[in-house]
Amino acid sequence: MAPSDDFSRRLDGIQRYALLAAAGGVVLCMAGLVASPERFFESYLLAFLFFTNISLGCLGLVMLHHMTSGKWSYSIQRFAEAGMRTLPLMALLFVPVVIGMSDLYPWMHADRIGETAGRKVLYLNQPFFLGRAVFYFAVWTAMAFLLTRWSRAQDGDGSPARTSALRKLSAPGLIVYVLTATFAAVDWAMSLEPGWYSSIYGMLFVVNQCLGALCVLILLLRCFASEKPVADIISPAIYHDLGNMLLTFVILWAYMSFSQLLITWAGNLPEEITWYVRRLDPGWRMVALTLIILHFFVPFMLLLLRRSKRSPEILWKIAAGILVMRLVDLTWNIEPAFHAQGLAVHWLDPAALLAVGGLWAAFGIRMLKGAPLLALRDPRFRIVAEPASGTPHG
Amino acid sequence: MHEEERLVNVHPPEPLIREGNTYGSVTRKISGAVLTRRTPRGWYIAIAAGFLLVMVLLAAVSYLFVRGVGIWGINIPVGWGFAIVNFVWWIGIGHAGTLISAILLLLHQHWRNAINRFAEAMTLFAVSCAGMFPILHLGRPWLFYWLFPFPDPMSIWPQFRSPLIWDVFAVSTYATISFLFWYVGLVPDLATMRDRAVHLWVKRFYGVIALGWRGSARHWHRYETAYLLLAGLATPLVVSVHSVVSFDFAVGIIPGWHSTIFPPYFVAGAIYSGFAMVLTLVIPVRAMYGLQDFITARHMDYMARVMLATGLIVAYGYVMEAFFSWYSGSPYERYMMVNRSFGPYAPVYWMLILCNIVLPQLLWIRKVRLNMPALFVLAIIVNVGMWLERFVIVITSLHRDFLPSSWGMYYPTIWDWATFTGSIGLFIALMFLFVRLLPMISMFELRQLLPWPSGNGNGQKGGGA
């Protein structure tokens, strides 16, 4: 079943807006690059990480879907595939980060970092950093490519062997994803403060990626729920499952963030606690409090309610709210590395988000075209889509 | 092709109860294991072994009460020896039961119905074994109640900033909820036992503990509500208890203990070892009592997969520990890893890697997951590996900290080993008493998995029947 013309036109429309936003963002960024290059790279890194995280979360969720394959995950599979296929674009958008490296990463200047950080030069040095980045993007792109290709091929031939191949790739793929995402988090974010370290940081990043991606996927599903193949299977039960997943990731975020805080606070070691000292300075402290309330308590309470999970109208608002808080959390994570003296938001922050986000959205929307929004010919899809006969009452 | 068959097999079609069973046969077979069946010889062997080891425990603990903790190998710098290793090991084992009974219930994983009772009992007995160790380790075990905050004339008040106090609350809450969950889940089946028992005193025994269950619609309604509520209460405990246990280590600043990955890594390790223990127990009991109809190959496959997945998370934890000890740039953190891998306890470390990471990779192979002897051996290997992991964490971190002048070695004494093996005996004895005295599989939950009867009316419906 080919997507209808209506649907294509709708996608074209969205794509135009996205490109327009990107164009505006790029112009502003250019201006910013001339006016204050240092500040531009800081804002750009934030925007780059925000959208790369979502793409990576999509990659993780697609592989999780192939491993578990519930009805709910079929409903978001194609959107997540589009999301992960933006990874080649993100590789390209990594170039400005490379250009701004010496402004962004203190370890680029051996004289500027302390003795402890100096012991890490074997890992934190430019050639190795770049080599790792190339490796990450190569692996991610290859996995995203194969996952898409086999799934699309199945749309044509409906062969069960494809499902089996997808599973066989996804199981080791998840391991590779978690490990590469962990080290990418160390490279791109943690090493902004080269003296600091925290062993839960990578796992927290992975959780954040999946959480952010899930929010975007819920928004997309809500957007396109009326389109043909999706409209046939969508039900409150699917939203309920997605809401529960969202709740799980929100709890995981809180659990891991709190663990990191508690252990660091209790240890109170100079090389660790400074990370929090910066982030609990006036200004940033208000952001931290906002995170506790709006990134955890409010969505947690709302998502406990059955009604807010079963109603797409409520669920998409919660997802949108969490997505905004993802951005706030990432800002709080990244920016104090540059602005320890207090909260600093610049007009370049939204400009960079607009530029990167516009390109990201335009590219992702393009990837939605050309395939039905459901993997209809996956043999397992038939099993989950039909009312299960094996399950008992209730 | 058979490829498609396999894909389909992964999903519902293969029944969770072998064909040919009815409401009646499920009840008859499971209650019969307690009421009518001849006790298998394996049971006598197991209970005898367990009982003998309980006697060893009794001797070890009696001598401990007389002489004090000096009979163990602990000293400065290693003040936490086997007692804490065993505590963490046992409490971790309990976690599989709670995961199976609470989280899998909320996730509608119906395959749990065949193993939840058994796993919950395991949780309860593992927590009992665990709880014993910190108390024995106190030095004056008879004053253990000082751990609780209560107004006493000497104004002794616990230090609430210490995770050791959080442990008291975490573990006692865990024990309470686990017991309630297990017992509430037992009540309808106890009524079935009461109704089927022949001997008067047996009838009275089950009658009293069945709390007057009659299987009325109202009983069932309240039961379902209570059970779901308890499941909701137990769910956070799966994560919180072992997180608190990990804080016992992580809030200190000793290299090898102070690591932020500890909470999730400990929780994954707990579930890993828990599933290993469930498999260690289920495989022989299943064979002994011929329960292959209810605990099918599919169940074993699922449990093996959970074990593999959690084992991989644990492996991730090891990788992070190793990487960040180097990346920290701190000479002490770096030395910790060098000491673990090449120091005096290096063989223990490499054994742990072999048992917990290398060998369990065999579980990727479907044939291994479905081969009971192989799975049994792997489960035991994981049990051993997880015990060694706790040994490495507790001992190698303590024995060489910041100052080389205060380094030392730890060697367990015969009393350490006696207490440890004794606790295993206690666990085995309790487990096999449970198998003998109570229905080890939840009869009414298993009956829910059967299709509705098509009118051949072979006896029991649900309820107290």
Side-chain angles (χ1 to χ4, degrees), chain B residues 308-351:
Chain B
L308 176 62
T310 47
L312 289 169
I313 303 178
V314 172
Y316 175 86
Y318 296 156
V319 173
M320 288 303 111
E321 271 192 317
F323 174 72
F324 281 104
S325 72
W326 180 85
Y327 182 85
S328 70
S330 146
Y332 306 106
E333 288 281 340
R334 286 186 179 180
Y335 180 71
M336 176 275 292
M337 211 54 220
V338 172
N339 184 41
R340 266 190 198 179
S341 334
F342 307 107
Y345 294 108
V348 183
Y349 180 69
W350 294 112
M351 271 299 285

Short mmCIF file of all heavy atoms in Angstrom, two decimals, chain B residues 308-351:
data_model
loop_
_atom_site.label_atom_id
_atom_site.label_comp_id
_atom_site.label_asym_id
_atom_site.label_seq_id
_atom_site.Cartn_x
_atom_site.Cartn_y
_atom_site.Cartn_z
N LEU B 308 20.53 -13.62 30.45
CA LEU B 308 21.53 -13.13 29.49
C LEU B 308 21.49 -11.60 29.43
O LEU B 308 22.54 -10.94 29.49
CB LEU B 308 21.25 -13.72 28.11
CG LEU B 308 22.14 -13.23 26.97
CD1 LEU B 308 23.60 -13.58 27.23
CD2 LEU B 308 21.70 -13.82 25.63
N ALA B 309 20.28 -11.04 29.34
CA ALA B 309 20.16 -9.59 29.19
C ALA B 309 20.71 -8.87 30.41
O ALA B 309 21.49 -7.91 30.30
CB ALA B 309 18.71 -9.20 28.95
N THR B 310 20.32 -9.33 31.62
CA THR B 310 20.81 -8.65 32.81
C THR B 310 22.31 -8.86 32.96
O THR B 310 23.02 -7.97 33.43
CB THR B 310 20.08 -9.13 34.07
OG1 THR B 310 20.04 -10.55 34.04
CG2 THR B 310 18.68 -8.59 34.15
N GLY B 311 22.79 -10.02 32.53
CA GLY B 311 24.23 -10.27 32.58
C GLY B 311 24.99 -9.29 31.72
O GLY B 311 26.09 -8.85 32.08
N LEU B 312 24.40 -8.91 30.59
CA LEU B 312 25.07 -7.94 29.71
C LEU B 312 25.11 -6.55 30.36
O LEU B 312 26.07 -5.81 30.21
CB LEU B 312 24.36 -7.88 28.36
CG LEU B 312 24.56 -9.13 27.50
CD1 LEU B 312 23.63 -9.12 26.30
CD2 LEU B 312 26.01 -9.22 27.03
N ILE B 313 24.05 -6.22 31.10
CA ILE B 313 24.08 -4.92 31.80
C ILE B 313 25.18 -4.94 32.86
O ILE B 313 25.91 -3.95 33.04
CB ILE B 313 22.71 -4.61 32.45
CG1 ILE B 313 21.62 -4.61 31.39
CG2 ILE B 313 22.75 -3.27 33.17
CD1 ILE B 313 20.24 -4.37 31.93
N VAL B 314 25.31 -6.08 33.54
CA VAL B 314 26.38 -6.21 34.53
C VAL B 314 27.74 -6.05 33.85
O VAL B 314 28.63 -5.35 34.35
CB VAL B 314 26.28 -7.56 35.26
CG1 VAL B 314 27.48 -7.80 36.14
CG2 VAL B 314 25.00 -7.62 36.09
N ALA B 315 27.87 -6.66 32.67
CA ALA B 315 29.14 -6.55 31.94
C ALA B 315 29.42 -5.08 31.60
O ALA B 315 30.56 -4.61 31.70
CB ALA B 315 29.08 -7.38 30.66
N TYR B 316 28.37 -4.37 31.21
CA TYR B 316 28.51 -2.94 30.95
C TYR B 316 29.04 -2.23 32.20
O TYR B 316 29.93 -1.37 32.12
CB TYR B 316 27.16 -2.36 30.53
CG TYR B 316 27.14 -0.86 30.35
CD1 TYR B 316 27.51 -0.29 29.14
CD2 TYR B 316 26.74 0.00 31.39
CE1 TYR B 316 27.49 1.08 28.96
CE2 TYR B 316 26.72 1.36 31.22
CZ TYR B 316 27.10 1.91 30.01
OH TYR B 316 27.08 3.27 29.84
N GLY B 317 28.51 -2.61 33.35
CA GLY B 317 29.00 -2.04 34.61
C GLY B 317 30.50 -2.27 34.80
O GLY B 317 31.23 -1.36 35.20
N TYR B 318 30.96 -3.49 34.48
CA TYR B 318 32.39 -3.78 34.63
C TYR B 318 33.22 -2.90 33.70
O TYR B 318 34.28 -2.40 34.07
CB TYR B 318 32.70 -5.25 34.33
CG TYR B 318 32.06 -6.25 35.26
CD1 TYR B 318 31.82 -7.55 34.86
CD2 TYR B 318 31.69 -5.89 36.54
CE1 TYR B 318 31.24 -8.47 35.70
CE2 TYR B 318 31.10 -6.80 37.39
CZ TYR B 318 30.87 -8.08 36.97
OH TYR B 318 30.29 -9.00 37.80
N VAL B 319 32.73 -2.76 32.46
CA VAL B 319 33.45 -1.94 31.49
C VAL B 319 33.56 -0.50 32.00
O VAL B 319 34.63 0.12 31.96
CB VAL B 319 32.76 -1.98 30.11
CG1 VAL B 319 33.42 -1.00 29.15
CG2 VAL B 319 32.79 -3.38 29.54
N MET B 320 32.45 0.02 32.51
CA MET B 320 32.45 1.40 33.01
C MET B 320 33.40 1.54 34.20
O MET B 320 34.14 2.52 34.30
CB MET B 320 31.05 1.82 33.43
CG MET B 320 30.11 2.05 32.27
SD MET B 320 30.73 3.29 31.11
CE MET B 320 31.10 2.29 29.70
N GLU B 321 33.36 0.57 35.11
CA GLU B 321 34.27 0.62 36.27
C GLU B 321 35.71 0.70 35.80
O GLU B 321 36.49 1.52 36.28
CB GLU B 321 34.10 -0.64 37.12
CG GLU B 321 33.05 -0.55 38.17
CD GLU B 321 33.17 -1.72 39.13
OE1 GLU B 321 33.37 -2.86 38.67
OE2 GLU B 321 33.06 -1.48 40.34
N ALA B 322 36.05 -0.16 34.85
CA ALA B 322 37.43 -0.21 34.39
C ALA B 322 37.80 1.08 33.67
O ALA B 322 38.84 1.68 33.94
CB ALA B 322 37.64 -1.41 33.47
N PHE B 323 36.92 1.52 32.77
CA PHE B 323 37.25 2.71 32.00
C PHE B 323 37.37 3.94 32.90
O PHE B 323 38.34 4.71 32.80
CB PHE B 323 36.20 2.97 30.91
CG PHE B 323 36.41 4.27 30.19
CD1 PHE B 323 37.47 4.41 29.29
CD2 PHE B 323 35.59 5.37 30.41
CE1 PHE B 323 37.69 5.61 28.63
CE2 PHE B 323 35.81 6.57 29.76
CZ PHE B 323 36.86 6.69 28.87
N PHE B 324 36.41 4.13 33.78
CA PHE B 324 36.44 5.36 34.57
C PHE B 324 37.51 5.34 35.66
O PHE B 324 37.92 6.40 36.12
CB PHE B 324 35.05 5.67 35.14
CG PHE B 324 34.16 6.30 34.11
CD1 PHE B 324 33.17 5.57 33.49
CD2 PHE B 324 34.36 7.61 33.71
CE1 PHE B 324 32.37 6.14 32.52
CE2 PHE B 324 33.57 8.20 32.74
CZ PHE B 324 32.58 7.46 32.13
N SER B 325 37.94 4.15 36.06
CA SER B 325 39.05 4.16 37.02
C SER B 325 40.28 4.74 36.32
O SER B 325 41.08 5.43 36.94
CB SER B 325 39.32 2.75 37.54
OG SER B 325 39.91 1.97 36.53
N TRP B 326 40.41 4.46 35.03
CA TRP B 326 41.52 5.06 34.29
C TRP B 326 41.22 6.53 33.98
O TRP B 326 42.05 7.41 34.21
CB TRP B 326 41.77 4.29 32.99
CG TRP B 326 42.92 4.90 32.24
CD1 TRP B 326 44.24 4.64 32.43
CD2 TRP B 326 42.87 5.93 31.26
NE1 TRP B 326 45.01 5.43 31.62
CE2 TRP B 326 44.18 6.24 30.90
CE3 TRP B 326 41.81 6.63 30.65
CZ2 TRP B 326 44.50 7.21 29.95
CZ3 TRP B 326 42.12 7.61 29.71
CH2 TRP B 326 43.46 7.88 29.37
N TYR B 327 40.00 6.79 33.47
CA TYR B 327 39.67 8.13 32.99
C TYR B 327 39.64 9.14 34.14
O TYR B 327 39.80 10.33 33.93
CB TYR B 327 38.30 8.09 32.29
CG TYR B 327 37.87 9.41 31.71
CD1 TYR B 327 38.28 9.80 30.44
CD2 TYR B 327 37.05 10.29 32.43
CE1 TYR B 327 37.89 11.01 29.90
CE2 TYR B 327 36.66 11.50 31.90
CZ TYR B 327 37.08 11.86 30.63
OH TYR B 327 36.70 13.06 30.11
N SER B 328 39.42 8.68 35.37
CA SER B 328 39.38 9.60 36.50
C SER B 328 40.69 10.40 36.60
O SER B 328 40.70 11.52 37.08
CB SER B 328 39.17 8.84 37.80
OG SER B 328 40.34 8.09 38.09
N GLY B 329 41.78 9.77 36.16
CA GLY B 329 43.06 10.43 36.28
C GLY B 329 43.62 10.38 37.69
O GLY B 329 44.73 10.85 37.94
N SER B 330 42.86 9.77 38.61
CA SER B 330 43.34 9.69 39.99
C SER B 330 44.23 8.46 40.14
O SER B 330 43.84 7.35 39.76
CB SER B 330 42.14 9.61 40.93
OG SER B 330 42.46 8.81 42.04
N PRO B 331 45.42 8.62 40.70
CA PRO B 331 46.31 7.46 40.85
C PRO B 331 45.71 6.36 41.72
O PRO B 331 45.98 5.18 41.50
CB PRO B 331 47.57 8.03 41.49
CG PRO B 331 47.27 9.44 41.85
CD PRO B 331 46.03 9.87 41.15
N TYR B 332 44.89 6.75 42.69
CA TYR B 332 44.30 5.74 43.59
C TYR B 332 43.25 4.90 42.84
O TYR B 332 43.20 3.69 42.99
CB TYR B 332 43.67 6.42 44.80
CG TYR B 332 44.64 7.32 45.51
CD1 TYR B 332 44.54 8.69 45.41
CD2 TYR B 332 45.71 6.77 46.23
CE1 TYR B 332 45.46 9.51 46.03
CE2 TYR B 332 46.63 7.58 46.85
CZ TYR B 332 46.50 8.96 46.75
OH TYR B 332 47.42 9.76 47.36
N GLU B 333 42.41 5.62 42.06
CA GLU B 333 41.40 4.91 41.28
C GLU B 333 42.08 3.96 40.29
O GLU B 333 41.67 2.83 40.10
CB GLU B 333 40.52 5.91 40.51
CG GLU B 333 39.57 6.71 41.38
CD GLU B 333 38.34 5.93 41.77
OE1 GLU B 333 38.02 4.93 41.09
OE2 GLU B 333 37.69 6.31 42.77
N ARG B 334 43.13 4.47 39.66
CA ARG B 334 43.82 3.65 38.66
C ARG B 334 44.47 2.45 39.32
O ARG B 334 44.41 1.33 38.80
CB ARG B 334 44.86 4.48 37.92
CG ARG B 334 44.24 5.44 36.94
CD ARG B 334 45.31 6.14 36.13
NE ARG B 334 44.68 7.05 35.18
CZ ARG B 334 45.37 7.81 34.33
NH1 ARG B 334 46.68 7.77 34.32
NH2 ARG B 334 44.73 8.60 33.50
N TYR B 335 45.03 2.66 40.49
CA TYR B 335 45.69 1.55 41.15
C TYR B 335 44.68 0.49 41.55
O TYR B 335 44.97 -0.72 41.52
CB TYR B 335 46.48 2.01 42.38
CG TYR B 335 47.15 0.82 43.04
CD1 TYR B 335 48.23 0.20 42.41
CD2 TYR B 335 46.65 0.28 44.21
CE1 TYR B 335 48.79 -0.93 42.95
CE2 TYR B 335 47.21 -0.85 44.76
CZ TYR B 335 48.29 -1.45 44.13
OH TYR B 335 48.84 -2.58 44.65
N MET B 336 43.48 0.94 41.93
CA MET B 336 42.44 -0.02 42.32
C MET B 336 42.25 -1.06 41.22
O MET B 336 42.19 -2.26 41.47
CB MET B 336 41.15 0.76 42.59
CG MET B 336 39.93 -0.07 42.91
SD MET B 336 39.02 -0.67 41.49
CE MET B 336 38.36 0.83 40.80
N MET B 337 42.17 -0.58 39.97
CA MET B 337 41.93 -1.50 38.86
C MET B 337 43.15 -2.40 38.61
O MET B 337 43.00 -3.59 38.33
CB MET B 337 41.61 -0.67 37.62
CG MET B 337 40.66 -1.34 36.66
SD MET B 337 39.13 -1.87 37.45
CE MET B 337 38.94 -3.43 36.63
N VAL B 338 44.32 -1.81 38.74
CA VAL B 338 45.56 -2.61 38.57
C VAL B 338 45.60 -3.70 39.65
O VAL B 338 45.89 -4.87 39.37
CB VAL B 338 46.80 -1.70 38.68
CG1 VAL B 338 48.07 -2.53 38.71
CG2 VAL B 338 46.82 -0.71 37.53
N ASN B 339 45.26 -3.30 40.86
CA ASN B 339 45.30 -4.24 41.97
C ASN B 339 44.29 -5.36 41.78
O ASN B 339 44.56 -6.52 42.08
CB ASN B 339 45.03 -3.48 43.28
CG ASN B 339 45.15 -4.38 44.49
OD1 ASN B 339 46.05 -5.20 44.55
ND2 ASN B 339 44.22 -4.23 45.42
N ARG B 340 43.10 -4.99 41.28
CA ARG B 340 42.10 -6.02 41.04
C ARG B 340 42.58 -7.02 40.01
O ARG B 340 42.39 -8.22 40.16
CB ARG B 340 40.83 -5.37 40.49
CG ARG B 340 39.83 -5.06 41.55
CD ARG B 340 38.53 -4.65 40.91
NE ARG B 340 37.72 -3.96 41.89
CZ ARG B 340 36.53 -3.46 41.64
NH1 ARG B 340 36.04 -3.54 40.43
NH2 ARG B 340 35.85 -2.86 42.58
N SER B 341 43.18 -6.51 38.94
CA SER B 341 43.52 -7.41 37.84
C SER B 341 44.83 -8.15 38.06
O SER B 341 45.02 -9.22 37.51
CB SER B 341 43.63 -6.64 36.53
OG SER B 341 42.84 -5.50 36.54
N PHE B 342 45.75 -7.54 38.82
CA PHE B 342 47.07 -8.18 38.94
C PHE B 342 47.53 -8.32 40.38
O PHE B 342 48.62 -8.81 40.64
CB PHE B 342 48.12 -7.40 38.14
CG PHE B 342 47.71 -7.18 36.71
CD1 PHE B 342 47.32 -5.93 36.27
CD2 PHE B 342 47.70 -8.24 35.81
CE1 PHE B 342 46.92 -5.73 34.95
CE2 PHE B 342 47.30 -8.06 34.50
CZ PHE B 342 46.91 -6.80 34.07
N GLY B 343 46.72 -7.86 41.34
CA GLY B 343 47.12 -7.90 42.74
C GLY B 343 46.94 -9.30 43.32
O GLY B 343 46.71 -10.27 42.59
N PRO B 344 47.02 -9.42 44.63
CA PRO B 344 46.94 -10.73 45.27
C PRO B 344 45.60 -11.44 45.06
O PRO B 344 45.53 -12.65 45.14
CB PRO B 344 47.19 -10.44 46.75
CG PRO B 344 47.06 -8.97 46.91
CD PRO B 344 47.33 -8.35 45.59
N TYR B 345 44.53 -10.67 44.82
CA TYR B 345 43.23 -11.32 44.61
C TYR B 345 42.87 -11.43 43.13
O TYR B 345 41.71 -11.65 42.79
CB TYR B 345 42.12 -10.55 45.35
CG TYR B 345 42.26 -10.59 46.86
CD1 TYR B 345 42.66 -9.48 47.57
CD2 TYR B 345 42.00 -11.77 47.55
CE1 TYR B 345 42.80 -9.52 48.95
CE2 TYR B 345 42.15 -11.83 48.93
CZ TYR B 345 42.55 -10.71 49.62
OH TYR B 345 42.68 -10.76 50.98
N ALA B 346 43.87 -11.24 42.26
CA ALA B 346 43.60 -11.26 40.82
C ALA B 346 42.89 -12.54 40.35
O ALA B 346 41.97 -12.45 39.53
CB ALA B 346 44.89 -11.06 40.04
N PRO B 347 43.26 -13.73 40.85
CA PRO B 347 42.55 -14.92 40.36
C PRO B 347 41.04 -14.83 40.60
O PRO B 347 40.25 -15.27 39.77
CB PRO B 347 43.16 -16.06 41.18
CG PRO B 347 44.49 -15.54 41.62
CD PRO B 347 44.35 -14.07 41.76
N VAL B 348 40.66 -14.25 41.75
CA VAL B 348 39.23 -14.12 42.04
C VAL B 348 38.58 -13.22 40.99
O VAL B 348 37.50 -13.51 40.48
CB VAL B 348 39.01 -13.52 43.45
CG1 VAL B 348 37.54 -13.45 43.77
CG2 VAL B 348 39.75 -14.34 44.49
N TYR B 349 39.27 -12.14 40.65
CA TYR B 349 38.72 -11.20 39.67
C TYR B 349 38.53 -11.88 38.31
O TYR B 349 37.49 -11.76 37.68
CB TYR B 349 39.63 -9.98 39.55
CG TYR B 349 39.13 -8.96 38.56
CD1 TYR B 349 37.98 -8.22 38.85
CD2 TYR B 349 39.77 -8.74 37.36
CE1 TYR B 349 37.51 -7.28 37.95
CE2 TYR B 349 39.29 -7.80 36.46
CZ TYR B 349 38.16 -7.06 36.76
OH TYR B 349 37.69 -6.14 35.87
N TRP B 350 39.55 -12.61 37.88
CA TRP B 350 39.44 -13.23 36.55
C TRP B 350 38.44 -14.36 36.53
O TRP B 350 37.76 -14.59 35.53
CB TRP B 350 40.83 -13.67 36.05
CG TRP B 350 41.70 -12.47 35.82
CD1 TRP B 350 42.80 -12.09 36.52
CD2 TRP B 350 41.49 -11.43 34.84
NE1 TRP B 350 43.30 -10.90 36.04
CE2 TRP B 350 42.51 -10.47 35.01
CE3 TRP B 350 40.53 -11.22 33.85
CZ2 TRP B 350 42.61 -9.32 34.23
CZ3 TRP B 350 40.63 -10.08 33.07
CH2 TRP B 350 41.66 -9.14 33.26
N MET B 351 38.30 -15.05 37.66
CA MET B 351 37.25 -16.06 37.77
C MET B 351 35.88 -15.41 37.61
O MET B 351 34.97 -15.95 36.97
CB MET B 351 37.32 -16.74 39.14
CG MET B 351 38.22 -17.94 39.23
SD MET B 351 37.69 -19.25 38.12
CE MET B 351 36.26 -19.85 39.03
#
